[in-house]
């Protein structure tokens, strides 16, 4: 209390000071010298010291996070923004009301906030802490009602303080990419997590000053520690392209009764800028804890009701609750997951693009070489006969036809001509063995063979080399595949993909700007040009005719892969399939690349499950939406 007494002395304002000086002048300085010295000591010399002591004792500080920066797409459309809200807290010591009044106040607040009156009353009576949070992010309508009540009733001790709430106006759009912030306003997924240090700004403290007698302090120290607003992000993402991609993927999910969702990407081939990145089913980051998939949500609700029907602490209750919480947690993690960068999958025949580019670039084969397919063949170094996907065979094919037919036997021979060493070196240079380095958290690097298993065919046989040549028995991420194929068509350059174009501070100054980065040149310009015409022939004449878009030259490659590692209840492979298509446009000067993949189309639709039948038309539909929007000129 010593400080408090000293504090009472310094509470004279400058008016008092002046009056004392006047008195001193009137009654003669001498008599007042000791007093004046003491006053001077307290008021001037030691002012800072007492101020700090007083502040330590009299202030309440509340950590307030700074407003997070905004996330914009490349057209400055808002994907994530912080909106101003208010927190409601009580100061029980200030309230100092009779029990009856506390009941009345609690009842009023509970009715406005739709909250538990007893809990509010409990907090209002708890004198241990002077900061009792009643509600975060109160809507303006409600805080206005509360403010009016405070004024009308003249109540001390009910406080509204500024806070911010994260809002995602585009809801499910690009949800896994954008991510969300947790209850403490920290980025926990997607860009919100990867760029948290830029977005979050500097947290501060709001310090309000009240003396022990609840009088206002003679000096005011608002914003004692100032908050610094977070930086904003401008993405390479285009919300319109993203919406086109998501809509077409959703259509395909419904049309082909796809059981396990879909994913897709759109990228600029020359720069590595990501225009769209989608994983479906999605979720709404405004309510990220809720399970967005309605079937899954109903199942969970059923589980919850089941265990709730047992007496608490019974074993059925406890086991049921544990199973429910595990399933809920898994479902949340699944809907938040960005499959384009986090999950490897078997690329299947889309990978043949890389094998062929390597074989042509190294000179291992030429365009006039012929490959014979009888439907099945005993390949040297493989223990079993290798079957082409077309059991009746493709007959004699030149190189372009082998790609158009997506002939597995031809590609086994192309891989053997190339040899394990060159194949592995090219695959490595195409970035298949490394992460792409995209500016997002949670990127995975895929799973590929050890070098010796591909290279040392004397010891390991040719099964791994030949299977890898047509995209089987290993995994990579959709983004890894897409950037590798971008290098095939863009003149040979492997790029580092990115999603944030620019980081701006609160005043609009550039803090960070990303430029396209060439990692390395993988194939020659000439090979790249050759590959472009071959890829166009796959859409014009081969397995990807369904991807054609009238008026635009499209190239691409289909893929159908079995999920070899997914087993049914008896431990047998389910033979579930991922069908995919990688498309490029326009082929005279490639600018955009797209991948769409559908995970496990139903066997009951009567349609043949293949990339050509399902993924190619889906990608074609996206391209027909976005190419005119992106300003690509029609050729006919
Ligand atoms: Zn064949």
């Amino acid at each position: 209390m010593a400080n408090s007494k000293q504090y009472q002395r310094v509470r004279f304002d400058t008016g008092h000071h002046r009056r004392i000086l006047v008195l001193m002048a009137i009654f003669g300085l001498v008599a007042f010298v000791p007093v004046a010295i003491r006053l001077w000591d307290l008021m001037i010399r030691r002012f800072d010291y007492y101020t700090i002591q007083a502040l330590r004792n009299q202030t309440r500080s509340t950590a307030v996070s700074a407003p997070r920066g905004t996330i914009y797409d490349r057209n400055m459309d808002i994907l994530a923004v912080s909106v101003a809200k208010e927190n409601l807290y009580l100061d029980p010591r200030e309230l100092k009301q009779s029990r009856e009044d506390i009941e009345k106040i609690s009842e009023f607040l509970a009715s406005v906030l739709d909250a538990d009156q007893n809990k509010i009353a409990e907090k209002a009576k708890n004198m241990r802490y002077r900061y009792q949070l009643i509600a975060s992010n109160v809507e303006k309508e409600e805080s206005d009602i509360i403010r009016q009540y405070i004024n009308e009733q003249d109540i001390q001790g009910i406080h509204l303080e500024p806070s911010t709430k994260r809002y995602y106006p585009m809801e499910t759009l690009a949800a896994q990419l954008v991510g969300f912030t947790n209850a403490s306003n920290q980025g926990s997924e997607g860009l919100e997590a990867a760029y948290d240090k830029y977005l979050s700004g500097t947290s501060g403290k709001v310090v309000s000053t009240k003396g022990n007698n609840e009088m206002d302090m003679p000096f005011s120290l608002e914003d004692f520690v100032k908050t610094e607003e977070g930086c904003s992000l401008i993405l390479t993402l285009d919300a319109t392209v993203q919406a086109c991609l998501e809509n077409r993927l959703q259509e395909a999910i419904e049309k082909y009764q796809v059981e396990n969702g879909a994913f897709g990407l759109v990228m600029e081939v020359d720069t590595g800028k990501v225009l769209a990145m989608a994983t479906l089913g999605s979720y709404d980051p405004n309510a990220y804890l809720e399970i967005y998939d309605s079937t899954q949500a109903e199942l969970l609700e059923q589980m919850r009701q089941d265990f709730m029907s047992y007496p608490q602490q019974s074993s059925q209750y406890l086991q049921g609750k544990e199973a429910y919480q595990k399933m809920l947690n898994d479902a949340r993690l699944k809907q938040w997951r960005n499959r384009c960068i986090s999950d490897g999958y078997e690329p299947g025949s889309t990978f043949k693009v890389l094998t062929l580019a390597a074989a042509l670039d190294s000179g291992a084969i030429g365009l006039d070489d012929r490959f014979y397919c009888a439907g099945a063949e005993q390949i040297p170094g493989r223990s079993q006969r290798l079957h082409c996907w077309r059991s009746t065979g493709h007959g004699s094919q030149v190189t372009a036809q082998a790609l158009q037919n997506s002939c597995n036997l031809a590609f086994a021979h192309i891989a053997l001509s190339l040899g394990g060493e060159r194949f592995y070196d090219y695959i490595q240079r195409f970035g298949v063995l490394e992460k792409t380095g995209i500016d997002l958290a949670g990127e995975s690097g895929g799973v590929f063979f050890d070098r010796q298993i591909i290279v040392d065919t004397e010891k390991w046989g040719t099964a791994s080399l030949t299977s890898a040549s047509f995209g089987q028995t290993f995994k990579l991420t959709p983004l890894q595949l897409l950037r590798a194929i971008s290098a095939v068509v863009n003149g040979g350059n492997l790029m580092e993909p990115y999603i944030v174009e620019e980081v701006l501070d609160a005043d609009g100054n550039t803090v960070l700007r990303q430029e396209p980065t060439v990692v390395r040149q993988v194939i020659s310009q000439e090979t790249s040009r050759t590959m472009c015409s071959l890829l166009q022939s796959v859409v014009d004449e081969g397995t990807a005719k369904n991807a054609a878009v009238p008026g635009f030259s499209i190239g691409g490659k289909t893929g159908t892969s079995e999920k070899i590692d997914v087993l049914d209840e008896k431990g047998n492979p389910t033979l579930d399939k991922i069908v995919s298509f990688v498309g490029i446009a326009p082929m005279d000067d490639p600018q955009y690349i797209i991948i769409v993949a559908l995970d496990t189309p139903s066997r009951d639709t009567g349609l043949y499950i293949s990339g050509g039948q399902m993924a190619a038309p889906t990608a074609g539909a996206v391209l027909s939406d976005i190419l005119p929007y992106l300003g690509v000129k029609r050729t006919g």
Side-chain angles (χ1 to χ4, degrees):
M1 289 310 286
N3 280 324
S4 152
K5 270 183 197 157
Q6 286 157 346
Y7 169 65
Q8 293 295 327
R9 288 189 202 127
V10 281
R11 269 193 70 244
F12 291 113
D13 62 20
T14 47
H16 283 90
H17 197 178
R18 223 174 283 125
R19 258 170 275 149
I20 288 165
L21 292 174
V22 171
L23 284 171
M24 279 154 62
I26 293 170
F27 294 106
L29 273 170
V30 178
F32 285 88
V33 163
V35 181
I37 288 170
R38 180 73 184 135
L39 277 173
W40 177 82
D41 182 54
L42 280 174
M43 297 181 73
I44 314 294
R45 192 169 68 80
R46 303 186 69 183
F47 181 79
D48 283 353
Y49 171 79
Y50 287 119
T51 304
I52 291 161
Q53 289 302 312
L55 276 172
R56 281 195 188 139
N57 286 290
Q58 317 302 331
T59 59
R60 290 180 306 274
S61 66
T62 314
V64 170
S65 48
R68 281 175 83 79
T70 304
I71 302 179
Y72 299 98
D73 87 337
R74 67 169 183 174
N75 302 313
M76 299 304 280
D77 285 328
I78 293 173
L79 295 164
V81 67
S82 287
V83 289
K85 298 269 172 178
E86 284 173 299
N87 291 341
L88 176 76
Y89 72 92
L90 301 179
D91 180 342
R93 284 207 228 166
E94 256 185 327
L95 267 172
K96 278 188 182 168
Q97 305 283 345
S98 69
R99 196 182 169 81
E100 215 175 308
D101 282 327
I102 284 181
E103 293 309 320
K104 246 196 276 170
I105 289 165
S106 307
E107 191 187 347
F108 167 77
L109 292 177
S111 72
V112 175
L113 299 166
D114 195 17
D116 185 339
Q117 183 187 339
N118 292 332
K119 280 187 184 160
I120 296 175
E122 232 169 79
K123 287 183 175 178
K125 292 174 207 157
N126 183 351
M127 295 290 175
R128 272 189 72 190
Y129 300 105
R130 299 188 63 178
Y131 181 88
Q132 299 281 353
L133 185 67
I134 302 299
S136 304
N137 302 320
V138 181
E139 297 294 333
K140 191 179 178 305
E141 209 175 287
E142 293 164 355
S143 58
D144 282 348
I145 295 171
I146 294 166
R147 222 185 311 277
Q148 196 185 350
Y149 178 78
I150 295 169
N151 292 337
E152 281 174 6
Q153 309 281 321
D154 193 23
I155 296 171
Q156 303 287 314
I158 304 177
H159 298 278
L160 287 155
E161 64 178 2
S163 70
T164 59
K165 186 182 188 323
R166 205 60 165 160
Y167 178 56
Y168 303 92
M170 302 217 188
E171 298 174 349
T172 59
L173 192 89
Q176 297 88 355
L177 175 69
V178 174
F180 54 83
T181 56
N182 62 19
S184 330
N185 218 14
Q186 287 165 327
S188 24
E189 291 283 334
L191 286 163
E192 293 276 32
Y195 279 84
D196 192 52
K197 71 167 179 176
Y198 289 107
L199 288 164
S200 63
T202 312
S203 291
K205 285 176 182 171
V206 166
V207 178
S208 53
T209 46
K210 297 269 180 185
N212 273 1
N213 58 358
E214 305 306 332
M215 302 272 282
D216 280 336
M217 299 277 275
F219 40 82
S220 161
L221 287 176
E222 268 180 39
D223 285 339
F224 183 58
V225 181
K226 217 173 158 36
T227 60
E228 210 167 290
E229 212 174 301
C231 295
S232 293
L233 309 181
I234 301 174
L235 307 185
T236 60
L237 190 95
D238 187 309
T240 302
V241 176
Q242 179 78 20
C244 291
L245 177 62
E246 289 189 13
N247 291 342
R248 296 300 189 172
L249 285 175
Q250 188 56 42
E251 269 177 30
I253 286 174
E254 284 155 27
K255 185 171 179 189
Y256 308 119
Q257 296 170 29
V258 177
E259 289 167 17
N260 201 28
F263 50 85
L265 272 161
V266 179
M267 202 161 84
E268 283 183 8
V269 296
D270 288 330
T271 61
K273 291 181 188 182
V274 174
L275 294 186
M277 181 182 275
T279 305
L280 269 69
S282 197
Y283 70 98
D284 184 349
N286 292 300
Y288 58 89
L289 293 176
E290 280 169 32
I291 302 305
Y292 199 75
D293 181 290
S294 58
T295 316
Q296 187 83 357
E298 278 166 30
L299 194 68
L300 277 159
E301 179 54 22
Q302 191 56 52
M303 280 177 85
R304 196 183 68 84
Q305 283 176 12
D306 281 353
F307 83 76
M308 294 283 281
S309 69
Y310 293 105
Q312 284 192 21
Q313 304 311 321
S314 71
S315 65
Q316 289 102 324
Y317 176 91
L318 293 172
Q319 281 168 17
K321 189 177 177 185
E322 194 185 324
Y324 163 78
Q325 280 174 338
K326 185 184 182 308
M327 191 163 156
L328 177 62
N329 201 37
D330 289 350
R332 283 174 179 165
L333 291 176
K334 191 180 170 194
Q335 71 179 9
W336 299 341
R337 201 165 171 84
N338 184 343
R339 294 179 71 180
C340 295
I341 61 158
S342 298
D343 286 351
Y345 81 111
E346 206 188 65
S349 298
T350 52
F351 196 80
K352 287 172 180 159
V353 177
L354 304 185
T355 304
L356 185 57
L360 288 170
D361 194 65
S362 65
I365 65 158
L367 288 175
D368 299 330
D369 287 12
R370 287 199 160 265
F371 304 92
Y372 188 77
C373 171
E377 187 184 337
Q378 184 60 56
I379 303 278
R382 280 186 77 111
S383 57
Q384 289 178 326
R385 280 164 68 81
L386 179 62
H387 292 265
C388 189
W389 65 268
R390 187 179 187 180
S391 55
T392 53
H394 288 108
S396 178
Q397 314 152 86
V398 292
T399 300
Q401 290 166 322
L403 187 69
Q404 288 159 19
N405 295 332
S406 197
C407 175
N408 285 359
L409 293 186
F411 272 81
H413 284 288
I414 290 170
L416 291 176
S417 303
L418 185 58
E421 194 146 356
R422 281 192 293 192
F423 176 75
Y424 197 91
D425 287 347
Y426 270 101
I427 294 316
Q428 188 162 28
R429 292 174 60 72
F430 272 122
V432 171
L433 310 181
E434 67 201 25
K435 293 179 184 178
T436 67
I438 191 167
D439 48 338
L440 281 169
E443 186 184 14
S444 143
V447 184
F448 202 71
F449 298 96
D450 278 348
R451 184 183 169 86
Q452 55 156 335
I453 293 171
I454 295 287
V455 171
D456 190 352
T457 48
E458 293 276 305
K459 184 175 176 187
W460 297 93
T462 61
S464 298
L465 169 62
T466 49
S467 294
S469 77
F470 43 82
Q472 290 180 10
T473 63
F474 68 92
K475 288 182 171 186
L476 42 64
T477 67
L479 184 64
Q480 282 181 307
L481 179 68
L482 213 62
R483 87 150 169 167
I485 298 181
S486 295
V488 171
V489 299
N490 74 2
N493 294 321
L494 190 76
M495 306 303 295
E496 186 173 287
Y498 62 101
I499 188 75
V500 173
E501 181 89 62
E502 206 173 351
V503 178
L504 300 177
D505 70 14
D507 301 322
N509 303 311
T510 300
V511 174
L512 180 82
R513 170 181 273 281
Q514 303 214 76
E515 303 288 343
T517 309
V518 179
V519 179
R520 65 183 84 92
Q521 181 153 14
V522 186
I523 58 169
S524 71
Q525 286 219 353
E526 194 192 341
T527 308
S528 178
R529 273 195 297 274
T530 305
M531 283 303 300
C532 285
S533 62
L534 291 175
L535 286 165
Q536 187 172 353
S537 77
V538 176
V539 175
D540 290 350
E541 301 159 48
T543 54
K545 284 183 189 136
N546 289 329
V549 180
F552 295 97
S553 57
I554 312 285
K557 184 72 195 77
T558 55
T560 307
S561 47
E562 280 175 359
K563 292 166 75 178
I564 38 175
D565 52 352
V566 177
L567 305 178
D568 65 15
E569 284 150 7
K570 290 174 188 161
N572 299 315
T574 58
L575 303 183
D576 283 349
K577 285 174 177 158
I578 294 184
V579 299
S580 60
F581 177 76
V582 174
I584 302 112
M587 290 320 290
D588 52 333
D589 179 22
Q591 291 176 47
Y592 303 104
I593 188 164
I594 179 173
I595 181 169
V596 302
L598 310 173
D599 188 346
T600 318
S602 165
R603 294 187 184 92
D604 305 330
T605 59
L607 292 162
Y608 181 64
I609 296 177
S610 75
Q613 287 299 312
M614 296 171 169
T618 306
V622 179
L623 290 171
S624 71
D625 290 342
I626 67 173
L627 292 179
Y629 166 77
L630 292 169
V632 175
K633 286 211 173 67
R634 287 172 193 272
T635 50

